[in-house]
Amino acid sequence: MEKNGLLIVISGFSGAGKGTLVKALLRKYDNYALSISMTTRAPREGERDGVEYFFTTKERFEETIQRGGLIEYAPYCGNYYGTPRDYVEEQMALGKNVILEIEIQGALKIKKKFPESLLIFVTPPSAGELKRRLEGRGTESAEMIAKRLARAAEESEGIEAYDYIVVNDDLDTCVEELHRLADAALRAPVRSQKLIGEIREELQGFQKGAD
Amino acid sequence: MEKNGLLIVISGFSGAGKGTLVKALLRKYDNYALSISMTTRAPREGERDGVEYFFTTKERFEETIQRGGLIEYAPYCGNYYGTPRDYVEEQMALGKNVILEIEIQGALKIKKKFPESLLIFVTPPSAGELKRRLEGRGTESAEMIAKRLARAAEESEGIEAYDYIVVNDDLDTCVEELHRLADAALRAPVRSQKLIGEIREELQGFQKGAD
């Protein structure tokens, strides 16, 4: 019930459709903001610096780590990915729910650092469907697809660390579900500390009055 | 996403309006069933055996404990309260979300025994409002009100054990919120074990195929 925005981490298997889902959520509701990650991986066709990612070199990425400019970072498939601090803090202070689309290692670091963050794992309805989507992209080698599926098997071991798991089958349904989960999450005690504290204090006041 | 109904525990300060809230939820949606507790406390005016509670003696209550007929029980303000097992299991198997309206000690026992149960704590907007509601009932002595407020102060220490805390200010809003929380809860990994297990197994199958 606190007024500050939520920090929402969205992870999921590569090919689960996280990007499309998050874009649709941002288009539909104006109380979300998307954190743009910094990465050392090469841009895919059509990706623009400062839109999909901030693309940078290994050296500059490591400099940013050194000066505390990232709230988390992690290696993934041979490249660095990280979350710049300033934008996240600024948007949350404005009351926006800030979405980080990051992988599981980063997600776990975020949860440890910010216990009130909300971790959502997005999955296709089945692993078979995941494989079909990866193959259907037509942009990646068989080797890369195998690598992503191996990574997915690893990641699936970490799902229990997430607050919610959502199945991305129908896009519109899934957007609504995400929005409702963000609302539900505000009712978890970890995100209602102010209310709980006030009630406790007032109840203790009655006790003192009665003594 | 599993098909079985949820076990929903609703607790909250005495005077938070849990009873009214649960009744309104049951009237509005047909996928809920209310578990009726067994108690050794005397009926209040208008309370009927088998409707608000199964009223019984201390001796018969203890017999029921002995034969494993309760899924939990606890003393509260000098009386026993407990949850008969058969009804709960039968309704959940039918796909109903079974609501237990029990106090915090019982709630914690339920969560330990059934980790996938959903614990919801209902509170008025403030402790001051709680006090006003208890006084407004006009059915209880000043001593009993003081006892309930002291108990509320104790109970407030346990709120973090609940999955969600809901503020019962406007009844209709609160009913909708409960209904949405039950839906959101199905997306928590602890209640999606079947889906997670299937995805893991299938992903591991791909690995074996690739070796």
Side-chain angles (χ1 to χ4, degrees):
Chain A
M1 325 270 167
E2 268 77 291
K3 291 294 172 214
N4 252 7
L6 281 172
L7 186 59
I8 304 181
V9 174
I10 297 196
S11 304
F13 307 128
S14 176
K18 299 183 295 291
T20 311
L21 184 61
V22 168
K23 264 182 222 138
L25 180 71
L26 288 163
R27 245 198 322 269
K28 187 156 183 189
Y29 297 102
D30 63 3
N31 62 324
Y32 295 88
L34 180 62
S35 157
I36 300 170
S37 293
M38 186 175 279
T39 184
T40 60
R41 84 149 162 76
R44 292 187 197 140
E45 193 166 324
E47 285 183 340
R48 293 145 296 171
D49 187 41
V51 180
E52 283 80 10
Y53 287 95
F54 294 109
F55 295 101
T56 190
T57 61
K58 187 160 178 275
E59 290 67 33
R60 296 205 51 177
F61 196 100
E62 287 170 350
E63 277 167 34
T64 312
I65 296 170
Q66 290 310 314
R67 62 173 169 81
L70 302 173
I71 61 172
E72 63 76 37
Y73 67 94
Y76 174 65
C77 291
N79 287 298
Y80 275 131
Y81 292 74
T83 303
R85 177 183 303 278
D86 292 351
Y87 181 79
V88 170
E89 293 183 346
E90 172 194 304
Q91 293 295 312
M92 283 176 68
L94 291 171
K96 301 264 186 180
N97 296 330
V98 177
I99 298 177
L100 313 187
E101 195 196 318
I102 56 182
E103 49 61 72
I104 190 162
Q105 290 180 49
L108 297 182
K109 285 180 198 167
I110 290 287
K111 191 68 171 185
K112 205 169 166 185
K113 230 166 162 175
F114 308 99
E116 73 287 4
S117 61
L118 176 65
L119 269 51
I120 296 181
F121 195 90
V122 181
T123 176
S126 71
E129 173 63 19
L130 177 68
K131 191 160 177 274
R132 276 188 293 280
R133 288 189 197 173
L134 286 172
E135 290 166 350
R137 276 184 181 174
T139 57
E140 309 200 25
S141 64
E143 192 197 355
M144 187 51 87
I145 290 173
K147 207 169 169 181
R148 291 196 188 276
L149 286 173
R151 175 75 188 180
E154 274 175 53
E155 286 180 332
S156 76
E157 295 304 318
I159 294 183
E160 273 84 356
Y162 286 76
D163 293 296
Y164 298 112
I165 175 168
V166 299
V167 174
N168 185 11
D169 195 358
D170 174 69
L171 182 65
D172 290 339
T173 309
C174 200
V175 164
E176 278 313 294
E177 201 163 301
L178 275 183
H179 188 59
R180 284 200 307 267
L181 290 176
D183 194 59
L186 292 173
R187 274 74 189 171
V190 71
R191 300 179 198 91
S192 303
Q193 286 300 306
K194 193 165 159 280
L195 172 72
I196 294 171
E198 284 166 1
I199 288 174
R200 275 184 189 149
E201 205 175 319
E202 209 180 344
L203 284 169
Q204 278 160 11
F206 294 155
Q207 295 311 105
K208 280 175 199 144
D211 285 345
Chain B
M1 326 267 168
E2 268 78 289
K3 290 296 170 210
N4 252 8
L6 281 173
L7 185 59
I8 303 180
V9 174
I10 297 195
S11 304
F13 307 128
S14 176
K18 299 181 296 290
T20 312
L21 184 60
V22 168
K23 265 182 223 141
L25 180 71
L26 288 163
R27 243 196 323 269
K28 188 155 182 189
Y29 297 103
D30 63 3
N31 62 325
Y32 295 88
L34 180 62
S35 156
I36 299 171
S37 293
M38 185 175 279
T39 183
T40 59
R41 85 149 162 76
R44 290 187 199 140
E45 193 166 324
E47 284 183 340
R48 292 145 297 174
D49 186 43
V51 179
E52 284 79 11
Y53 287 96
F54 294 109
F55 295 100
T56 190
T57 61
K58 187 159 178 274
E59 291 66 34
R60 296 206 51 179
F61 196 99
E62 287 171 348
E63 276 167 34
T64 313
I65 296 171
Q66 290 311 315
R67 61 172 170 79
L70 302 172
I71 61 173
E72 63 75 38
Y73 67 93
Y76 173 66
C77 291
N79 288 298
Y80 275 131
Y81 292 76
T83 304
R85 177 183 303 280
D86 293 351
Y87 181 79
V88 170
E89 293 184 345
E90 171 195 304
Q91 293 296 311
M92 284 178 68
L94 291 172
K96 300 264 184 180
N97 296 330
V98 178
I99 297 178
L100 313 187
E101 194 195 319
I102 56 182
E103 50 60 71
I104 191 162
Q105 290 181 49
L108 298 182
K109 285 180 197 166
I110 291 286
K111 191 68 170 186
K112 204 168 167 187
K113 230 167 164 175
F114 309 99
E116 73 287 3
S117 61
L118 176 65
L119 268 51
I120 295 181
F121 195 90
V122 181
T123 176
S126 71
E129 173 63 20
L130 177 69
K131 190 159 177 274
R132 275 188 294 278
R133 288 189 196 173
L134 286 173
E135 290 166 351
R137 276 183 181 176
T139 58
E140 309 202 23
S141 63
E143 191 197 357
M144 187 50 86
I145 290 173
K147 206 169 171 183
R148 292 196 187 277
L149 287 173
R151 175 75 188 182
E154 274 175 53
E155 286 180 332
S156 75
E157 295 304 317
I159 294 183
E160 273 84 355
Y162 286 75
D163 293 297
Y164 298 113
I165 174 168
V166 299
V167 174
N168 185 11
D169 195 357
D170 174 70
L171 183 65
D172 290 340
T173 309
C174 201
V175 165
E176 279 312 296
E177 201 164 298
L178 275 184
H179 188 59
R180 285 200 307 268
L181 290 176
D183 193 60
L186 292 173
R187 274 74 188 171
V190 71
R191 300 178 199 93
S192 302
Q193 286 300 305
K194 194 165 159 279
L195 172 71
I196 295 172
E198 284 166 1
I199 289 174
R200 274 184 188 149
E201 204 174 321
E202 209 181 345
L203 284 169
Q204 279 160 10
F206 294 157
Q207 295 312 106
K208 280 175 199 144
D211 285 343

